[in-house]
Amino acid sequence: MWEKRMEWPLNAAAVLFLVAYAWPILQPSLGHTGRVWCEVVTWLSWAVFALDYGVRLRHAEDKRAFLKSNIFDLAIIVLPLIRQLRLLRLVTVLNVLNRNAGLSLRGRVVVYTVGATALIVFCSALAVLDAERAQPDAPITDFPDAVWWSITTITTVGYGDRYPVSGTGRVVAVGLMVAGIALLGVVTATLASWLIRRVTEADENAQAVTREHLDELTREVKALRAELAEQRAGVSPEASEPLGTARG
Amino acid sequence: MWEKRMEWPLNAAAVLFLVAYAWPILQPSLGHTGRVWCEVVTWLSWAVFALDYGVRLRHAEDKRAFLKSNIFDLAIIVLPLIRQLRLLRLVTVLNVLNRNAGLSLRGRVVVYTVGATALIVFCSALAVLDAERAQPDAPITDFPDAVWWSITTITTVGYGDRYPVSGTGRVVAVGLMVAGIALLGVVTATLASWLIRRVTEADENAQAVTREHLDELTREVKALRAELAEQRAGVSPEASEPLGTARG
Amino acid sequence: MWEKRMEWPLNAAAVLFLVAYAWPILQPSLGHTGRVWCEVVTWLSWAVFALDYGVRLRHAEDKRAFLKSNIFDLAIIVLPLIRQLRLLRLVTVLNVLNRNAGLSLRGRVVVYTVGATALIVFCSALAVLDAERAQPDAPITDFPDAVWWSITTITTVGYGDRYPVSGTGRVVAVGLMVAGIALLGVVTATLASWLIRRVTEADENAQAVTREHLDELTREVKALRAELAEQRAGVSPEASEPLGTARG
Amino acid sequence: MWEKRMEWPLNAAAVLFLVAYAWPILQPSLGHTGRVWCEVVTWLSWAVFALDYGVRLRHAEDKRAFLKSNIFDLAIIVLPLIRQLRLLRLVTVLNVLNRNAGLSLRGRVVVYTVGATALIVFCSALAVLDAERAQPDAPITDFPDAVWWSITTITTVGYGDRYPVSGTGRVVAVGLMVAGIALLGVVTATLASWLIRRVTEADENAQAVTREHLDELTREVKALRAELAEQRAGVSPEASEPLGTARG
């Protein structure tokens, strides 16, 4: 299978992209050659994703259906041509978590939520630092500050000791806020579904009791039928055959 | 149908209202003529809504029931006479989303939530900018700032780098905060209902099993009845008719 | 019934308490006589609550059970002796909403939530204004500011443009924050239960189908029994009596 | 049982640890001897936890399974060797709440949530005060400020009048924010499960009705079978035996 074979190359491309994206931001003193190399790696990892998408599209039986159900993947390929949105591609690294986890639905939700939250916080911190550094009087000036700001934003705490002032930084912040609302929703929903499950186990017991009643009834009807068959074989024939002999 | 025919005129009126409301706020240098035109368009779009309400009220069989169940629509017609509340009328544009979406309940909730959130953020930014601009030393002075403030408020992040200081601006802010709590609630509830649905599919399977048991039992009883009928037709009649002949 | 008769006096006492509590805070220039009158009204309304509690305790058959299940009411009577906690008594005004609403569970939750939120915001604004006014350099100095701060706190937005600095003010703030979390929880839970109800109506339909199957089965068994009775009355007697006559 | 016997020593160790941890932070003027004593008590309480873990590991039949399912306990033993993380050990005091409460699932969730929230707020305030005091120009300088900051953070209000500036303080803050999201989730989920339970009681009634139908059907079938037995004993035998005598 193509998708099975591409799992690790895609993950490697995602990690390489992440490193090549983060390096020049975290080390502003990086020379021109280093920056060019990072740019090259970024484009190569993009090429891996584009290639994967192309091959999957080619293998798809119903091309139109594939395009429709993979609209998000297509966005990940096309949007990075706009520099700031390239960052969105990192979301694909989450597919690893999604594919490998042989867990229950709730377990998968937990793993996915923790992984996605960590990745979103890290990438947003990078993106906002990149955008704000150029700004004079920006409250966010180094990476620890940026991570701190990311976390206060995604948890919707929002102290206001650090906040973005550039347009790009604010767009990243909006993304983080939306992620924060989703995070709150997922945590609550997971807890609620667990609690409701525990509380509604009584319902299932009620179901089980109903089924037991039903089984008892079935046994009763079977006994009735057996009795009838016995009566027919033992009594009625006795009653009809002797009559025949009486008649004969 | 009146409601079907009025769908697009109402939407057009809503969009026109939005444009006529936004223009003088976004371009403060707009001359007197422009402002008058915007005012006229605003009142015309209001007239369309009032007309629609009037016709629907006239067509309604039970007028009292119509008034009761459309109290919100009546408010939208009457309240705009107070200038700041005119803005509330924009909520009607959401009816488009509601009417056209041939989606599942959850799908409709998602479309409606995203649409309503975007519209509320946009309109609140306009309203707060309109109210704060007159204020000396107000932290919100241009449209991007107002949108940024709207989003930090509706997501309940609240950095505090921007906040309204006028009474009207604060009333708009309170509306945004309430919308933010509703937004959080809707996101969480949608996720929870999806997760609970997925987890409780086992319940439905239990139901299906119960029904299968029931069907088996029904087959058993039908077989019993058929056997009895056979016995009656084959054995008992044989037993009774010969007796009749024996008697004859 | 005592409880029925006391409904309106208790509500009146609650409103009077609210007015007598709010007046000296909202009008700091109120003279000494006015303040004494407000104090008297405050104590009179407290006496009405204490009397109501005493009569209900006397009428109760199981005094120990009454004390246990009305521990909150007792707290409302005893705690106001501590000045700041007197404010807690206002929560009793919510009993009106609770008692009068002839609504569904969800409807009652909505009415109660809106009413409680409004009352909590209003009372917290009063309490915080009372506590902060004495403070030099306090950010909260007038009633509109206090209400604005209350709302930004209960919605967990927390801009930080206004915040309490005194100990009492912060205790009120903590109460507001807890109320805010409860508010978010109630809104989300109400939405979730509505959405889950709508989505799980299919379950009930499945139940109905099961019951229909069951009814069909019951009809089948009844028909079987009727047939058997017919057979017994028509065929078997015919079969046995002629035999008797044949024997005779 | 070891676990039963160790319940109170462990709780005592937890409380002693808490006191020995809090004292030097709350009283910065504490002399050298006092600090040494607190340090000794801290290590002794750690030793009690380590001993308890060791004995339980020794008694465990499947050592590998014990290690796996008590990974959190092991972390609590090993991590305190890093000074700041020692604080995590306090979470064990919650086991008391968990073990003793003979309550329903929902009741246990409520007790646990309130207890854990109070403990987390108290310990975070201590930890952040310890970390921030050394910082010049830190906004958090005394214990009431630290508690106030803890509460504004865990409720995700985040005014921004107080916030940590040191690395350690920010790590504590992140823990508080995560706890805040969990708190919101637990409150909402508990409310939702209660509300859904109340609303879905109709479902159980439907179940009960189904079961009643089923019982009626069972009675019907039993009556049928009894009738058949009667027919067989009364009519058919009469029919067959006379036949036998007729034959004889």
Side-chain angles (χ1 to χ4, degrees):
Chain A
M1 282 285 295
W2 175 261
E3 295 192 9
K4 201 84 199 157
R5 278 222 315 269
M6 280 307 282
E7 207 172 273
W8 286 107
L10 281 176
N11 292 349
V15 170
L16 276 179
F17 173 88
L18 196 51
V19 170
Y21 180 80
W23 202 325
I25 298 173
L26 294 179
Q27 189 191 339
S29 63
L30 188 69
H32 184 255
T33 327
R35 286 184 187 274
V36 168
W37 268 109
C38 285
E39 193 73 0
V40 168
V41 169
T42 302
W43 281 108
L44 281 179
S45 65
W46 177 84
V48 173
F49 284 104
L51 177 75
D52 172 63
Y53 185 82
V55 170
R56 280 195 296 151
L57 176 60
R58 214 179 161 191
H59 283 13
E61 288 179 26
D62 186 347
K63 302 250 183 300
R64 194 182 297 261
F66 180 85
L67 282 172
K68 254 191 183 171
S69 65
N70 291 280
I71 192 80
F72 188 61
D73 287 27
L74 182 60
I76 284 170
I77 303 301
V78 174
L79 291 177
L81 301 173
I82 306 154
R83 182 161 156 68
Q84 282 307 330
L85 293 173
R86 220 173 340 173
L87 172 71
L88 284 176
R89 209 178 337 159
L90 286 158
V91 176
T92 51
V93 89
L94 287 171
N95 283 328
V96 197
L97 294 165
N98 199 26
R99 285 185 191 169
N100 289 355
L103 294 161
S104 70
L105 177 64
R106 209 140 39 207
R108 227 153 51 215
V109 166
V110 169
V111 166
Y112 207 81
T113 305
V114 171
T117 305
L119 198 68
I120 288 169
V121 164
F122 179 66
C123 294
S124 300
L126 284 175
V128 100
L129 183 61
D130 194 27
E132 295 288 302
R133 200 174 259 150
Q135 228 61 21
D137 306 324
I140 301 169
T141 50
D142 57 13
F143 189 63
D145 270 13
V147 170
W148 167 247
W149 165 81
S150 287
I151 294 171
T152 58
T153 302
I154 205 170
T155 56
T156 79
V157 170
Y159 288 122
D161 57 335
R162 303 272 178 270
Y163 49 86
V165 292
S166 67
T168 313
R170 284 179 172 182
V171 169
V172 172
V174 169
L176 263 180
M177 290 170 199
V178 170
I181 285 181
L183 176 65
L184 253 172
V186 169
V187 168
T188 304
T190 309
L191 282 165
S193 86
W194 174 80
L195 205 59
I196 287 164
R197 176 94 299 222
R198 288 290 299 270
V199 172
T200 55
E201 259 155 23
D203 272 11
E204 274 166 68
N205 292 345
Q207 278 271 1
V209 169
T210 305
R211 210 142 49 236
E212 259 169 46
H213 282 222
L214 206 56
D215 290 351
E216 195 205 316
L217 177 59
T218 307
R219 273 196 300 279
E220 193 75 15
V221 170
K222 278 191 176 149
L224 176 64
R225 196 180 167 190
E227 242 166 68
L228 204 76
E230 195 195 320
Q231 183 186 1
R232 195 187 169 192
V235 176
S236 300
E238 263 181 31
S240 66
E241 271 162 28
L243 277 170
T245 50
R247 216 189 332 162
Chain B
M1 281 284 296
W2 174 261
E3 294 192 8
K4 200 85 199 156
R5 278 223 315 269
M6 280 306 282
E7 207 172 274
W8 286 107
L10 281 175
N11 292 348
V15 170
L16 276 178
F17 173 88
L18 196 52
V19 170
Y21 180 82
W23 202 324
I25 298 172
L26 294 180
Q27 191 192 339
S29 62
L30 188 68
H32 185 254
T33 327
R35 287 185 186 271
V36 169
W37 268 109
C38 286
E39 193 73 0
V40 169
V41 170
T42 303
W43 281 108
L44 281 180
S45 65
W46 177 83
V48 174
F49 284 105
L51 177 74
D52 171 63
Y53 185 81
V55 171
R56 281 195 296 150
L57 175 60
R58 214 177 161 193
H59 283 11
E61 289 179 26
D62 186 349
K63 301 251 183 300
R64 193 182 297 263
F66 180 84
L67 281 172
K68 253 192 185 171
S69 65
N70 292 280
I71 192 79
F72 188 60
D73 287 27
L74 182 60
I76 284 170
I77 304 301
V78 174
L79 291 176
L81 301 173
I82 306 153
R83 182 162 155 67
Q84 282 307 330
L85 293 173
R86 219 169 347 169
L87 172 70
L88 284 176
R89 208 177 338 156
L90 286 159
V91 176
T92 51
V93 88
L94 287 171
N95 283 329
V96 196
L97 295 164
N98 199 24
R99 284 184 190 169
N100 289 354
L103 293 161
S104 70
L105 177 64
R106 209 140 39 207
R108 226 152 53 215
V109 166
V110 169
V111 166
Y112 207 81
T113 305
V114 170
T117 305
L119 198 69
I120 289 168
V121 164
F122 179 66
C123 295
S124 301
L126 284 174
V128 100
L129 184 61
D130 193 27
E132 295 289 301
R133 201 174 259 151
Q135 228 62 21
D137 306 324
I140 301 169
T141 51
D142 57 14
F143 189 63
D145 268 14
V147 169
W148 167 247
W149 165 81
S150 287
I151 294 172
T152 58
T153 301
I154 205 171
T155 55
T156 78
V157 169
Y159 287 122
D161 57 335
R162 303 272 177 269
Y163 50 86
V165 292
S166 67
T168 313
R170 284 179 173 182
V171 169
V172 172
V174 170
L176 263 180
M177 290 171 201
V178 170
I181 284 180
L183 176 65
L184 253 173
V186 169
V187 168
T188 303
T190 310
L191 282 165
S193 85
W194 174 80
L195 205 60
I196 288 163
R197 177 94 300 220
R198 288 290 299 269
V199 172
T200 56
E201 259 155 23
D203 271 12
E204 275 165 68
N205 292 345
Q207 279 271 3
V209 168
T210 305
R211 211 143 49 237
E212 260 169 46
H213 282 221
L214 207 55
D215 290 349
E216 195 206 316
L217 178 58
T218 309
R219 274 195 300 279
E220 193 75 15
V221 171
K222 277 190 176 151
L224 177 62
R225 197 179 167 192
E227 242 166 68
L228 205 76
E230 194 194 321
Q231 183 184 0
R232 197 187 169 192
V235 175
S236 300
E238 262 181 32
S240 68
E241 270 163 30
L243 280 169
T245 51
R247 217 191 330 166
Chain C
M1 282 285 296
W2 175 261
E3 294 192 10
K4 201 84 200 156
R5 279 221 315 269
M6 281 307 281
E7 207 172 275
W8 286 108
L10 281 175
N11 292 349
V15 170
L16 275 179
F17 173 87
L18 195 51
V19 170
Y21 180 81
W23 201 324
I25 298 173
L26 294 180
Q27 190 192 338
S29 63
L30 189 69
H32 184 255
T33 328
R35 285 183 188 274
V36 168
W37 269 108
C38 285
E39 192 73 1
V40 168
V41 169
T42 302
W43 281 108
L44 282 179
S45 65
W46 177 83
V48 173
F49 283 105
L51 176 76
D52 172 64
Y53 184 82
V55 171
R56 280 194 296 150
L57 176 60
R58 214 177 161 192
H59 283 11
E61 290 180 24
D62 185 349
K63 300 252 183 300
R64 194 183 297 264
F66 179 85
L67 280 172
K68 252 192 185 171
S69 65
N70 291 280
I71 191 79
F72 188 61
D73 287 29
L74 182 60
I76 284 169
I77 304 301
V78 174
L79 291 177
L81 301 173
I82 305 154
R83 181 162 155 68
Q84 281 307 328
L85 293 173
R86 222 173 341 173
L87 171 71
L88 285 176
R89 209 178 335 159
L90 286 158
V91 176
T92 51
V93 87
L94 288 171
N95 283 329
V96 197
L97 294 165
N98 199 26
R99 284 186 192 168
N100 289 355
L103 293 161
S104 70
L105 176 65
R106 208 138 41 204
R108 227 154 51 215
V109 166
V110 169
V111 167
Y112 207 82
T113 305
V114 171
T117 304
L119 198 68
I120 288 169
V121 164
F122 179 67
C123 295
S124 300
L126 284 174
V128 100
L129 183 60
D130 193 26
E132 295 289 301
R133 200 173 259 150
Q135 228 61 22
D137 305 325
I140 302 169
T141 51
D142 58 13
F143 189 63
D145 269 12
V147 169
W148 167 246
W149 165 81
S150 287
I151 294 170
T152 58
T153 300
I154 205 171
T155 56
T156 80
V157 169
Y159 287 123
D161 57 335
R162 302 273 178 268
Y163 50 87
V165 292
S166 67
T168 313
R170 284 180 173 182
V171 169
V172 172
V174 170
L176 263 180
M177 289 171 200
V178 170
I181 284 182
L183 176 64
L184 252 173
V186 169
V187 168
T188 304
T190 309
L191 281 165
S193 86
W194 174 80
L195 204 60
I196 287 164
R197 176 94 300 221
R198 287 291 299 270
V199 172
T200 56
E201 259 155 23
D203 272 11
E204 274 166 68
N205 292 345
Q207 279 271 3
V209 168
T210 305
R211 210 143 50 237
E212 260 168 46
H213 281 221
L214 206 55
D215 290 350
E216 195 206 315
L217 177 58
T218 308
R219 274 195 300 280
E220 193 74 16
V221 170
K222 278 191 176 149
L224 176 63
R225 196 179 168 190
E227 242 166 70
L228 205 75
E230 195 194 321
Q231 182 185 2
R232 196 186 170 192
V235 175
S236 300
E238 262 180 34
S240 68
E241 270 162 32
L243 279 169
T245 50
R247 215 189 330 163
Chain D
M1 282 286 297
W2 175 261
E3 295 191 11
K4 200 85 199 156
R5 278 221 317 268
M6 281 306 281
E7 208 172 274
W8 286 108
L10 281 176
N11 292 348
V15 169
L16 276 179
F17 174 86
L18 195 51
V19 170
Y21 180 81
W23 202 325
I25 298 173
L26 295 180
Q27 188 191 339
S29 62
L30 188 69
H32 185 253
T33 326
R35 286 184 187 273
V36 168
W37 268 109
C38 286
E39 192 74 359
V40 167
V41 169
T42 303
W43 281 107
L44 281 179
S45 64
W46 176 85
V48 173
F49 284 105
L51 177 75
D52 172 63
Y53 184 82
V55 170
R56 280 194 297 150
L57 176 61
R58 214 178 161 190
H59 282 11
E61 288 180 24
D62 185 348
K63 301 251 183 300
R64 194 182 297 262
F66 180 85
L67 281 171
K68 254 191 184 171
S69 66
N70 291 280
I71 192 79
F72 188 60
D73 287 29
L74 182 61
I76 284 170
I77 304 303
V78 174
L79 291 177
L81 300 174
I82 306 154
R83 182 162 155 67
Q84 282 307 330
L85 294 173
R86 221 173 340 174
L87 171 69
L88 285 175
R89 209 178 336 161
L90 287 159
V91 176
T92 51
V93 88
L94 287 171
N95 283 329
V96 197
L97 294 165
N98 199 26
R99 284 185 191 169
N100 289 354
L103 293 160
S104 70
L105 177 65
R106 208 139 41 207
R108 227 154 50 217
V109 166
V110 169
V111 167
Y112 206 82
T113 304
V114 171
T117 304
L119 198 69
I120 288 168
V121 164
F122 179 67
C123 294
S124 300
L126 284 175
V128 99
L129 183 60
D130 193 28
E132 295 289 302
R133 200 174 258 150
Q135 228 63 19
D137 306 325
I140 302 169
T141 51
D142 58 13
F143 189 63
D145 270 13
V147 170
W148 167 247
W149 166 81
S150 286
I151 294 171
T152 59
T153 300
I154 205 170
T155 56
T156 79
V157 169
Y159 288 122
D161 57 335
R162 303 272 179 269
Y163 49 87
V165 291
S166 67
T168 313
R170 284 180 172 182
V171 169
V172 172
V174 170
L176 264 179
M177 290 171 200
V178 170
I181 285 181
L183 176 64
L184 252 173
V186 169
V187 168
T188 304
T190 309
L191 282 165
S193 86
W194 174 79
L195 204 60
I196 288 164
R197 176 97 298 224
R198 288 290 299 271
V199 172
T200 56
E201 258 155 24
D203 272 10
E204 273 165 68
N205 292 346
Q207 279 271 1
V209 168
T210 304
R211 209 142 50 236
E212 260 169 46
H213 281 222
L214 207 54
D215 290 350
E216 194 205 315
L217 178 59
T218 307
R219 274 195 300 279
E220 192 76 16
V221 170
K222 277 191 176 149
L224 176 63
R225 197 180 166 190
E227 242 166 70
L228 204 75
E230 195 194 321
Q231 183 185 2
R232 197 186 169 191
V235 176
S236 300
E238 262 180 32
S240 68
E241 270 162 29
L243 278 170
T245 51
R247 216 189 333 163

